């Protein structure tokens, strides 16, 4: 009999619930006891830990967000905070912890694992910026939300001969913006990974206008040097050279809400169950991610010391297809 706990941390992502469910049910399947930590690392510090049975995770696979709650916990970044977290785990006789989250959460997991506690991470963030997983839980759903927004904007943009700046989330990573732009046939895509002269964007939109296009959609990553707000200010000063009338839509947290897609539910189920299997093998200190289609472990040390790169050939493709 083994006692394990699971928590969700950082920005919530659609599919986290499916991952929690998979951890609990695979744990119970092995005859283990499973506990849930409420509100991420903050709950670990305060000992907000509850037993989870099969029924507690019933009816959640289709729900976005996280039933355990999440938080960005500053105290856990301190040694004293992590020592408190460790005390809570020991008070509940918990032998291993599964951390579902993105970069910040897995950095926390690594720090705790260096203190000797067995931890397995599960790759989950809408940003898709986590080393060790080609796709993270939540990306597919967030991408489909931004794509739907783009499709909708295109309709009204065409009716009014307008240009739209559509800003999508992604922190420092341009993945969501790039994929939204390709899938939606955007005229321009602006991402942090590719430096940009706003003058080139003005020229580009002007060319689209001269070609007689009914609209121009520019997808902008929130982490780009020129985000939607800055670009809109620049465009305002050069309005006469653009041609189109301009509007701005910033999607923000709308992208994190909503029910998880089939892809995210399946990915989350595989990674959550895989994390439990990994603990059974006695091989902790890793992140479970998707590599070449397989659920695969990567050491947390490697995860936190590497930056995931996006495939810039896709950026070139977008430029050819626009
Ligand atoms: O990491 C996920 C994410 O949604 C980023 O895309 C975004 O920059 C950030 O979280 C927003 O954080 P918060 O929910 O704390 O405002």
């Amino acid at each position: 009999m083994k006692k394990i706990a699971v928590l969700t941390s950082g920005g919530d992502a659609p599919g986290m619930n499916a991952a929690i469910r998979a951890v609990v049910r695979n744990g119970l399947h092995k005859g283990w006891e499973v506990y849930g930590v409420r509100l991420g690392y903050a709950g670990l510090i305060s000992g907000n830990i509850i037993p989870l049975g099969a029924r507690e995770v019933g009816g959640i696979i289709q729900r976005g967000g996280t039933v355990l709650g999440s938080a960005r916990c500053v105290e856990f970044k301190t040694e004293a905070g992590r020592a408190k977290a460790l005390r809570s785990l020991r008070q509940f006789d918990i032998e291993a912890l599964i951390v579902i989250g993105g970069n910040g959460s897995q950095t926390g997991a690594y720090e705790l694992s260096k203190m000797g506690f067995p931890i397995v991470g599960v790759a989950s963030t809408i940003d898709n910026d986590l080393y060790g997983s080609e796709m993270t839980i939540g990306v597919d759903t967030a991408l489909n939300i931004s794509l739907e927004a783009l499709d909708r904007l295109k309709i009204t943009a065409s009716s009014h001969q307008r240009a739209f700046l559509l800003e999508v989330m992604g922190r420092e990573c341009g993945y969501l913006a790039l994929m939204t732009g390709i899938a939606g046939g955007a005229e321009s895509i602006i991402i942090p990974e590719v430096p940009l002269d706003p003058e080139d964007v003005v020229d580009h939109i002007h060319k689209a206008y001269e070609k007689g296009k009914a609209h121009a959609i520019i997808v902008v990553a929130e982490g780009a040097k020129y985000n939607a707000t800055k670009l809109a200010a620049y465009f305002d000063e050069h309005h006469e050279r653009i041609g189109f009338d301009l509007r701005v839509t910033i999607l923000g947290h709308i992208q994190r809400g909503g029910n998880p897609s089939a892809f995210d539910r399946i990915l989350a189920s595989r990674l959550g169950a895989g994390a439990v299997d990994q603990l059974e093998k006695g091989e902790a200190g890793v992140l479970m991610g998707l590599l070449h289609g397989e659920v695969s472990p990567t050491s947390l040390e490697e995860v936190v010391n590497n930056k995931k790169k996006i495939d810039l050939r896709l950026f070139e493709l977008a430029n050819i297809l626009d």
Side-chain angles (χ1 to χ4, degrees):
M1 164 75 76
K2 206 172 170 76
K3 271 192 187 183
I4 64 167
V6 57
L7 64 80
T8 48
S9 161
D12 65 348
M16 278 183 160
N17 281 331
I20 295 168
R21 174 180 177 271
V23 167
V24 171
R25 296 214 170 149
N26 196 21
L28 296 177
H29 174 73
K30 294 180 193 303
W32 298 357
E33 270 179 53
V34 187
Y35 288 77
V37 181
R38 304 222 58 249
L39 302 175
Y41 289 123
L44 204 53
I45 288 172
S46 64
N48 194 350
I49 298 174
I50 50 168
L52 292 176
R55 292 283 58 79
E56 273 79 42
V57 292
I60 66 168
I61 193 168
Q62 76 280 12
R63 280 165 55 190
T66 157
V67 290
L68 287 175
S70 189
R72 300 197 191 277
C73 179
V74 181
E75 195 182 352
F76 191 74
K77 291 186 178 157
T78 67
E79 232 171 78
R82 289 193 292 275
K84 279 191 204 166
L86 220 49
R87 268 202 295 282
S88 303
L89 287 164
R90 295 206 166 118
Q91 257 166 22
F92 282 79
D93 293 325
I94 288 163
E95 295 156 75
L97 176 69
I98 292 176
V99 172
I100 303 169
N103 266 315
S105 313
Q106 302 308 338
T107 303
Y110 177 52
E111 290 303 324
L112 205 57
S113 75
K114 281 200 291 188
M115 294 165 86
F117 199 82
I119 303 202
V120 171
V122 170
S124 175
T125 162
I126 65 159
D127 301 334
N128 210 19
D129 61 348
L130 186 60
Y131 189 88
S133 195
E134 281 146 13
M135 282 294 273
T136 51
I137 297 166
V139 175
D140 184 65
T141 309
L143 177 56
N144 279 295
I145 292 169
S146 53
L147 180 61
E148 188 186 343
L150 190 156
D151 288 346
R152 285 170 183 251
L153 288 178
K154 235 181 192 177
I155 292 170
T156 176
S158 300
S159 306
H160 291 265
Q161 286 245 304
R162 281 176 173 157
F164 267 86
L165 284 169
L166 170 63
E167 185 178 291
V168 302
M169 275 190 165
R171 213 177 275 279
E172 302 299 314
C173 174
Y175 182 90
L176 277 177
L178 180 55
M179 296 306 163
T180 303
I182 292 175
E187 272 65 35
S188 241
I189 301 170
I190 294 160
I191 54 175
E193 292 83 352
V194 180
L196 145 113
D197 181 348
E199 202 44 40
D200 292 343
V201 189
V202 171
D203 279 351
H204 198 74
I205 301 173
H206 184 67
K207 276 189 193 123
Y209 182 74
E210 278 191 323
K211 269 190 222 166
K213 283 202 177 190
H215 60 253
I217 308 286
I218 304 120
V219 183
V220 192
E222 65 169 354
K225 185 175 167 209
Y226 282 91
N227 61 15
T229 311
K230 287 188 188 147
L231 262 184
Y234 187 90
F235 286 3
D236 242 13
E237 288 167 24
H238 302 80
H239 181 254
E240 69 291 349
R241 295 200 19 246
I242 289 178
F244 293 107
D245 194 15
L246 181 81
R247 293 289 187 273
V248 180
T249 296
I250 298 177
L251 271 192
H253 293 79
I254 286 173
Q255 260 184 283
R256 287 219 317 244
N259 298 336
S261 65
F263 180 89
D264 276 329
R265 294 181 202 193
I266 293 163
L267 177 64
S269 300
R270 292 177 73 195
L271 296 186
V276 175
D277 291 344
Q278 188 72 15
L279 284 176
E280 189 178 38
K281 285 190 222 157
E283 293 169 9
V286 298
L287 172 84
M288 302 311 287
L290 192 71
L291 296 174
H292 310 293
E294 296 292 331
V295 174
S296 314
T298 303
S299 82
L300 283 169
E301 184 177 13
E302 198 181 336
V303 169
V304 302
N305 287 312
N306 282 284
K307 202 170 154 47
K308 184 170 169 182
K309 293 196 180 79
I310 62 172
D311 183 351
L312 288 178
R313 288 172 305 179
L314 289 168
F315 188 78
E316 287 160 25
L317 175 68
N319 284 333
I320 293 168
L321 300 183
D322 75 19

